[in-house]
Structure formats: structure tokens, C-alpha cells
Amino acid sequence: MCAGTAMVVEYWEAILKQLHIYKAKACLKEIHTKMLRKHLQRLEQALEAAKFETDLDSMGEAEVIEHNDDDAGNFSPEPILEKESQESEEEAGSFSPELLHGDGDEEAIDPDKDRALLECKRIAVLEDQQRRIQEAMASKPTPSEDNFELKAMKAMGAMEEGDAVFGSGAEHNLDSQVYWWHDKYRPRKPKYFNRVHTGYEWIKYNQTHYDHDNPPPKIVQGYKFNIFYPDLVDKTKAPSYTIEKDGSNGETCIIRFHAGPPYEDIAFKVVNKEWEYSHKKKFKCTFKRGILHVYFNFKRYRYRR
């Protein structure tokens, strides 16, 4: 550069930028080392102060021990012996409680009779609690069927295009069965509020032969079942459903709902297609507040060439 020969300007500009960075790093490193030294000095001072306090405590304990030894030598041992003799006399039984005899008319309590009396009182309390619970259950009004239908309609949502009420007259007659609880409970059929969803399937054939002005026939695309079980005896067991064959007819099948006493089984004839079990495809199978909800749609197959 002193000779005045040609030089690369970009190279020296890059070095100049890096120079500022290196200078900043060096300053930060010096500041960091100073802070570490100050922190180390503070730790050393704290250690010295703690060591000084421990030395003072040890010196104070030594002085107290020496002072106690001096005091022990100044007193005579005779009073201590007298005190020990007094304590031995007191420990001989002077603090024992005196036996107080009650009246002779008092009767001793038989533990077996007392236990039997306690059990009788417990049984009486339990019976009283059960009676109160039964009275409260009897006074509680049973939910009306209209209320169950409103809950079912709220769960299913608004009626969409292609939806229709399903169930009135569509119930499948089952063979007469005898349940083990017939003698104890009066069997009855559960109420229900169902819906069927229909729509168009625009496959290649329908696209060729039909249009929106002349649509193809609707097909069943899904069902929504709401079966009401408000008076179940065993509320810990949720109702269930099973799929059965419809004789020799392969286009339909039977969906059967089973709950337990006092309700009989109920069944419906539905289209025999594969179900969509995904929650995103609106599948639902829950038992909540006395209503069994079973919602499902059928799978849609897309044909490609």
C-alpha cells in the first residue's frame, strides 16, 4: 500500500468490518473478567466472615465450659445428695393415684351387649337414610318425553336437506323373548327419536344420465338414532347395539339396541353398507343423561379410471 500499487478495495473493507467486531469482543471479554474477579472477592469475604464467626462460637463455648467447671468446684456436694435422697423417696410411690371405690350398686357393662346395641343403632341410622333417599327419588319428577326429544333434536342439530324422521313405522319386530327380570319389573319398549339422511350420489353414470334439473334417485347416506332410557335400574352399565343379518337379504341389516331392565330390546332395519367410524365424519356413540346417541354415515367410494 505504501508503494502505491493496485489493491483490492473489497478485501480491506471486509477486514475493517471484522475489526470492529473483534474490538467489541475484546471489550466484552475484559468486562467479563472484571466481573468474575469482583464476584470471587465477594465469595472470599463471605468465607472469611463465616470462618471468623465459627472461631468466635468455639471460643465462647470453651469459656462457658471453663466457667461451669469453676462453679462446680465452689459448691459443696452435700445439698445435691439431699436432693437425690428426696427424689428417691418421691419415686417410691408417692405420686401413684389412689384407688377410688364406687358404689356397690353400679353395674358393669357387658362388651358383647354393648357391641350388639351399637350395631342396632347403626342399622337404624342406615334404614333412616335409605328411607329419606327413596322419598327424595319418589318426589323427584320424571323427565317428560318432550324434554328428551328436545335434547335429541339439540344433539342432532337442525334439519338439513335430505333429512327425514326415521322410526315411526320403521321399527323391526323382534321375536318374543323372556327376560330374567320379567317377574320383578314390568318390561316395556323404550321411546326413540331417529333421523335418516339421504342425498344424491353423482357417480359417472348419474352425471351422464341426470342433471340438477332432473336429479337421480336419492340414496341413504346415514342415520341418527336417539333411544331414551330414563328409568334404567343399573345406571352404571351403558346400553349397547349390535348388527345382525336380515335373513337372506344382503342389502339391509338389523341394528339392535339392548339396555337391560326394565327395557326390552328394540331393533330397526337399515341399509347394509360400511360405516365411517371417524369423528370427523360425524360418527357418535355416547350415553348421556338417559339418552343413547348413535350417529353414523356410510363410506363414499370414489371411482377413478
Side-chain angles (χ1 to χ4, degrees), residues 55-73:
D55 293 340
L56 286 177
D57 293 339
S58 61
M59 290 174 65
E61 289 176 358
E63 290 178 358
V64 169
I65 292 169
E66 291 177 358
H67 183 68
N68 291 335
D69 293 340
D70 296 339
D71 293 343

Side-chain angles (χ1 to χ4, degrees), residues 41-98:
Q41 289 177 1
R42 290 197 199 98
L43 291 175
E44 289 177 352
Q45 291 176 359
L47 290 172
E48 290 178 358
K51 186 177 180 182
F52 181 71
E53 288 179 358
T54 52
D55 293 340
L56 286 177
D57 293 339
S58 61
M59 290 174 65
E61 289 176 358
E63 290 178 358
V64 169
I65 292 169
E66 291 177 358
H67 183 68
N68 291 335
D69 293 340
D70 296 339
D71 293 343
N74 293 331
F75 294 101
S76 175
E78 293 178 359
I80 298 175
L81 293 173
E82 292 177 359
K83 186 176 181 181
E84 290 178 355
S85 62
Q86 291 176 0
E87 290 179 355
S88 61
E89 290 176 357
E90 291 175 352
E91 290 176 357
S94 60
F95 291 102
S96 299
E98 296 180 3

Side-chain angles (χ1 to χ4, degrees), residues 173-182 187 189 242 244 256-258 263-267:
N173 293 324
L174 296 173
D175 297 335
S176 59
Q177 293 184 355
V178 178
Y179 300 93
W180 61 268
W181 42 265
H182 264 184
K189 290 278 188 180
T242 55
E244 301 175 358
R256 185 186 191 120
F257 296 96
H258 173 76
Y263 294 102
E264 295 179 343
D265 292 356
I266 190 170

